[in-house]
Amino acid sequence: MDFIEIIEDMFASASEHQITVNPTQIYNEGWLVRALTHFSIKHGITLKGLAFGSITNWTSEGLIGSPFVGKKAPHEGYTHADIALGDFSVDYETGGEITVDETPDQFGIIEAKLGSPLSKGTKYADYYDQAARNAACIAYQTYQYPECKTFFIVTAPKNQKHFRKIQELNSVESIITKVERRFEEFRSVRGTYNSRNDILSAIERISLDVISYEDWIEHFDQFKEIQQLLLAFYQNTLKYNLKLSKYE
């Protein structure tokens, strides 16, 4: 028995009467979106114009930089991408920073939410929400490659009370306004402000979408066994995360 099998054995307890692992360590949006991504690629699902069968690489919780990382205040840290997909490399032995390939065909991020909206600002910019941060990171990684297909998708429960707000935040108008404001805070920082127009143009090329977990799972209607496994996992995720009592 290797260590992975030991973990699988412990995780199995989450669905048994005598629970030894808090189920929320397994049944959460992180593992849910990883499972959905894995099977979408394996079975060639197409979602919101994204053909998962064409994805060359994906990872979860990789670090992605923006124009404002590593600068003096009001700087920000790296963004943790729930799921990054496309043409890139990442070395977790050296910290886990994502590096987009030269002349990439596609690159994007999927952000998973459950009982909360897109998170608000950073330490130095309380208006700079999660949609704006992710879009700025994607644009920063790809602005030199205008032919690269870029995307930022947020997935959340269909009946989540924040769903409409997520749609409002994940719009080009909302994102551009906030990234422009962020650049103004760096007007005097050599190098950073100079990339402003390139970054804003790259943001306008990003495909922005919001999809519910329910709709995503429905895309597996030709793979009934996988669909039922994903649906059961999703139902347990809702069951064990009590914060969803905030639903309308």
Side-chain angles (χ1 to χ4, degrees), residues 149-216:
K149 177 183 178 181
T150 53
F151 54 90
F152 178 58
I153 298 172
V154 182
T155 182
K158 180 178 293 184
N159 295 325
Q160 198 211 92
K161 66 180 181 180
H162 303 292
F163 198 86
R164 185 177 296 276
K165 183 63 176 178
I166 291 172
Q167 290 176 314
E168 293 174 0
L169 294 176
N170 197 35
S171 66
V172 67
E173 296 83 7
S174 174
I175 289 171
I176 287 289
T177 297
K178 291 160 187 171
V179 176
E180 283 180 331
R181 181 177 173 183
R182 192 77 170 113
F183 267 109
E184 287 303 312
E185 297 169 345
F186 286 83
R187 179 177 282 275
S188 62
V189 179
R190 181 180 301 175
T192 300
Y193 191 80
N194 294 345
S195 66
R196 174 185 180 276
N197 291 340
D198 289 332
I199 298 298
L200 294 177
S201 294
I203 288 174
E204 292 177 346
R205 295 193 294 268
I206 298 173
S207 175
L208 303 167
D209 281 299
V210 181
I211 189 169
S212 69
Y213 294 114
E214 292 86 350
D215 288 345
W216 194 343

Side-chain angles (χ1 to χ4, degrees), residues 19 56 85 92 124 126 143 168 226:
I19 296 176
T56 58
L85 309 97
Y92 286 107
Y124 296 105
D126 58 3
Y143 74 91
E168 293 174 0
I226 298 300

Side-chain angles (χ1 to χ4, degrees), residues 7 10 84 97-98 105 138 144 189 192 195 197 201 217 220:
I7 294 174
M10 289 189 295
E97 183 177 353
I98 291 169
D105 290 326
I138 294 168
Q144 299 179 71
V189 179
T192 300
S195 66
N197 291 340
S201 294
I217 292 171
F220 288 87

Side-chain angles (χ1 to χ4, degrees), residues 23-44:
T24 60
Q25 296 297 306
I26 305 164
Y27 297 113
N28 55 56
E29 64 267 44
W31 283 112
L32 177 61
V33 74
R34 291 175 194 127
L36 284 164
T37 300
H38 169 76
F39 286 112
S40 293
I41 292 173
K42 184 175 181 179
H43 295 292

Side-chain angles (χ1 to χ4, degrees), residues 58-121:
W58 73 278
T59 192
S60 63
E61 297 301 324
L63 302 178
I64 184 166
S66 79
F68 316 115
V69 170
K71 312 298 181 182
K72 295 181 179 179
H75 73 282
E76 63 190 54
Y78 287 92
T79 292
H80 288 258
D82 280 356
I83 302 289
L85 309 97
D87 303 315
F88 67 91
S89 61
V90 59
D91 185 354
Y92 286 107
E93 292 184 2
T94 58
E97 183 177 353
I98 291 169
T99 303
V100 171
D101 297 345
E102 292 186 8
T103 63
D105 290 326
Q106 57 184 334
F107 179 74
I109 291 173
I110 299 176
E111 177 68 27
K113 308 306 291 185
L114 200 57
S116 61
L118 290 166
S119 64
K120 297 181 179 180

